[in-house]
Amino acid sequence: MVQPRIRRRAFDAVTPAPAAAPVAPAVKLTGFVRQFGANRVIDGLDLSIAPGEFVALLGASGSGKTTLLRTLAGLDPVGDQDVTTPDTRAVVFQDARLLPWKKVWRNVALGLKDKGVRARAEAALKEVGLGHRLDAWPSTLSGGEAQRTALARALVREPGLLLLDEPFAALDALTRLKMHDLVLNLWNEHRPAVLLVTHDVDEAIALADRVLVLNKGRIAAEERIALERPRAPDARFQAVRRRLLGHLGVEAPASHEAALVAFPSGEAVQ
Amino acid sequence: MSLTTADRISLARPFRWPRLSRARWLSPVLLLALWELGSRFGVIPERVLAAPSTVAETFWALTISGELPANLLVSLARALAGLTIALIVAVTLGLISGLSRLGETAIDPLMQIKRTIPSLALTPLFIVWFGIGETPKIALIAVATTFPIYLNLFAGVRGIDVRLVEAARSFGLSDWSLVREVILPGALPSFFVGLRYALGVSVLVLVVAEQINAQAGLGHLINNARDFMRTDIIVVCLLVYALLGLGADAFVRTLERRALAWRPSLVEQ
């Protein structure tokens, strides 16, 4: 299990600088390339995420979303390319990936070594509303509970970067909306930089400060969402959505009826 | 009024024979009864096969005299010694082979070659090497039970869900902690299949190994009985071998229930 060589920069390692100096980004990639054989999955990608920023990454299947996330998670080798990430990173995958032979709280405490891990796991599970399932086996959890456990497992490490790989895609629409609220609350509480990989345009707009559209291994478009949270699907929301759908190559719908058809996830706003 | 009607109906219900269509115990009991009758009326001579009642008496007599428990212990100790060696060897080799490509290349061909040789066929060679004491008996059991444990552990390690391994790695687990927290627990169900199989094999090999000039043990008891044509003692020993097999299986089942409590079971226990 060779750890990829990643050059990391701690937040507080910035030398005292003139007052107007910008904050060092939590994540920085410059001209990043990832290639499998002749296939360039990521092709000269530039990305920068500020500490505490919530970024959503949209893209069709095969656009390189997951590859980028794996790179940032340290799961793929990066060679000698320049990749800056926080030291502490945590991933929530689409499938919760809990170890079935460990009780819920032990899954949350996975890999933590210091004393009082049970108390920390318990606190994290209470935060996601699962204080009553500490000693349950993962196989007895519902899909939403499993995903909340995965969130607790990620947040208990107080990560500088939280990577969410389509974590709500397998949940029903109602549970997904509850999870959106939960994620926003937790983000407000802990303020990690977040990269949310999704192919649900509404989800991206509802949650993120900034939405990136990935196409053929590059950032094809970027939208800063300046709407205040919680975000209602009003006219401004719709305008952002039309623009993003346009970037994704989906015919921008003229009316709300058409919008219902355009959403592959089935989660219509109206 | 309705009560009286009900009473009358229940009184009127005709006597029913107990249902025999599902009485699985019936045929063995009938066979036992026929065997007993055959012995009583001299159809089955004592020197061919002792009567069930005689076997039961002998069983009791051998038990309270301490002869049976003492020999049983000797046999159990042999099986345990062989199994312990097999466990250490098989788990080590299975992990090396399961966790690395190089290990598989080095170890797996040798294990497959070993598999093609029937373990019991090694008996003459082991007698030449180790004489006729305890060593060849324990060695035979160890050699025969190594393969099932090795093969199932190897398959279990290779069958681990790589997504779980990846998730654990993303949370900072590496090398030994990954093996301990993820790979070993994940391979455990397979390992238990191998262990159960190995326990069955160990009893089988025990029977043959104890034919080698045993001075004590169940095999010794059987050999002596053969010399004196005591068919009752032979049958007692056969029964004990059967009980050993059952006991071994129950033992692993208990272990499984404790160690694999996390597994949702397909069939309600």
Side-chain angles (χ1 to χ4, degrees):
Chain A
M1 313 294 164
V2 184
Q3 280 292 313
R5 271 195 298 145
I6 296 184
R7 200 162 67 83
R8 297 188 185 109
R9 195 183 300 157
F11 294 128
D12 50 5
V14 185
T15 43
V23 187
V27 172
K28 190 158 176 53
L29 291 174
T30 314
F32 185 77
V33 174
R34 179 92 170 107
Q35 197 156 349
F36 297 104
N39 182 21
R40 275 203 172 188
V41 183
I42 294 186
D43 187 11
L45 179 135
D46 298 323
L47 173 68
S48 169
I49 301 177
E53 191 186 15
F54 198 133
V55 173
L57 187 66
L58 280 173
S61 303
S63 58
K65 298 192 298 284
T66 300
T67 308
L68 178 56
L69 182 129
R70 292 176 54 88
T71 299
L72 295 179
L75 289 171
D76 283 349
V78 296
D80 52 5
Q81 300 190 74
D82 198 1
V83 174
T84 307
T85 63
D87 283 335
T88 52
R89 295 157 293 173
V91 193
V92 177
F93 299 93
Q94 181 177 342
D95 43 343
R97 303 200 188 179
L98 304 175
L99 300 176
W101 45 84
K102 284 183 180 293
K103 294 195 167 167
V104 164
W105 80 266
R106 285 197 182 274
N107 261 289
V108 171
L110 186 70
L112 300 179
K113 285 184 194 75
D114 37 335
K115 274 179 281 178
V117 282
R118 165 136 185 151
R120 278 172 67 193
E122 193 173 339
L125 279 162
K126 278 191 178 138
E127 234 183 321
V128 299
L130 285 176
H132 59 297
R133 301 303 307 264
L134 287 176
D135 289 311
W137 294 114
S139 61
T140 63
L141 299 178
S142 70
E145 285 176 329
Q147 216 45 303
R148 279 190 279 160
T149 306
L151 260 177
R153 179 173 64 177
L155 286 167
V156 77
R157 285 140 235 277
E158 293 290 342
L161 174 63
L162 176 63
L163 297 156
L164 305 173
D165 187 6
E166 304 190 29
F168 318 122
L171 303 177
D172 64 88
L174 199 64
T175 311
R176 197 180 316 162
L177 289 178
K178 287 183 187 159
M179 289 292 283
H180 288 171
D181 289 343
L182 178 64
V183 164
L184 282 179
N185 287 339
L186 293 170
W187 172 63
N188 272 324
E189 193 69 33
H190 300 268
R191 280 287 159 175
V194 179
L195 183 74
L196 166 71
V197 167
T198 179
H199 47 228
D200 184 336
V201 179
D202 283 344
E203 184 170 281
I205 304 172
L207 299 177
D209 294 323
R210 190 154 58 102
V211 180
L212 306 174
V213 177
L214 195 63
N215 190 20
K216 291 181 184 145
R218 285 165 184 262
I219 306 290
E222 176 175 341
E223 281 282 343
R224 196 165 281 284
I225 319 279
L227 310 173
E228 64 286 353
R229 298 182 178 88
R231 290 167 178 166
D234 56 12
R236 287 181 303 165
F237 191 110
Q238 301 296 343
V240 173
R241 179 164 72 172
R242 262 196 298 282
R243 284 202 298 279
L244 282 172
L245 284 172
H247 294 314
L248 285 165
V250 180
E251 191 65 31
S255 68
H256 293 334
E257 284 77 18
L260 288 175
V261 185
F263 284 84
S265 70
E267 191 195 328
V269 172
Q270 289 290 307
Chain B
M1 199 57 204
S2 61
L3 251 175
T4 11
T5 320
D7 281 349
R8 207 163 46 225
I9 287 170
S10 75
L11 280 173
R13 189 185 290 167
F15 175 77
R16 278 216 214 140
W17 286 92
R19 275 214 274 168
L20 294 178
S21 60
R22 286 189 190 170
R24 291 175 58 86
W25 48 269
L26 192 64
S27 46
V29 168
L30 268 178
L31 182 70
L32 218 56
L34 281 176
W35 175 8
E36 180 71 37
L37 281 173
S39 301
R40 293 269 164 109
F41 290 103
V43 183
I44 308 170
E46 178 86 25
R47 47 177 297 224
V48 172
L49 196 58
S53 52
T54 319
V55 171
E57 274 169 40
T58 310
F59 190 100
W60 183 243
L62 285 175
T63 306
I64 50 173
S65 74
E67 199 175 348
L68 185 61
N71 284 298
L72 179 61
L73 271 181
V74 171
S75 293
L76 270 180
R78 281 176 190 143
L80 274 181
L83 273 167
T84 308
I85 295 170
L87 265 175
I88 294 168
V89 173
V91 169
T92 310
L93 294 181
L95 280 182
I96 294 174
S97 182
L99 290 174
S100 77
R101 176 68 57 197
L102 189 68
E104 186 190 356
T105 310
I107 291 167
D108 203 57
L110 297 176
M111 292 304 284
Q112 298 299 335
I113 290 170
K114 191 225 142 272
R115 181 179 64 95
T116 57
I117 303 170
S119 302
L120 292 177
L122 292 171
T123 312
L125 199 56
F126 278 21
I127 292 176
V128 172
W129 288 351
F130 304 122
I132 49 173
E134 286 301 295
T135 319
K137 301 177 181 65
I138 292 170
L140 265 180
I141 294 171
V143 165
T145 52
T146 298
F147 190 76
I149 302 175
Y150 163 84
L151 186 69
N152 284 285
L153 183 63
F154 175 74
V157 170
R158 284 296 165 95
I160 299 264
D161 187 344
V162 288
R163 295 170 316 146
L164 291 182
V165 176
E166 194 175 273
R169 271 178 58 206
S170 82
F171 289 115
L173 268 68
S174 60
D175 300 338
W176 174 236
S177 60
L178 199 62
V179 169
R180 198 185 54 227
E181 310 269 339
V182 184
I183 293 172
L184 279 182
L188 210 55
S190 281
F191 168 78
F192 276 124
V193 174
L195 185 61
R196 254 162 114 160
Y197 196 81
L199 281 170
V201 169
S202 75
V203 174
L204 185 79
V205 176
L206 189 66
V207 173
V208 177
E210 290 194 332
Q211 308 291 322
I212 313 169
N213 187 46
Q215 300 302 314
L218 289 174
H220 166 70
L221 212 56
I222 282 198
N223 281 346
N224 266 357
R226 181 196 59 204
D227 293 344
F228 295 101
M229 288 199 279
R230 288 286 302 271
T231 53
D232 53 340
I233 297 181
I234 295 179
V235 174
V236 166
C237 289
L238 293 181
L239 276 177
V240 172
Y241 276 130
L243 290 176
L244 270 182
L246 280 176
D249 208 56
F251 171 68
V252 182
R253 270 170 202 265
T254 313
L255 275 185
E256 274 186 352
R257 251 202 309 280
R258 283 166 171 272
L260 305 181
W262 52 272
R263 235 171 21 159
S265 61
L266 187 63
V267 184
E268 283 298 317
Q269 297 291 324

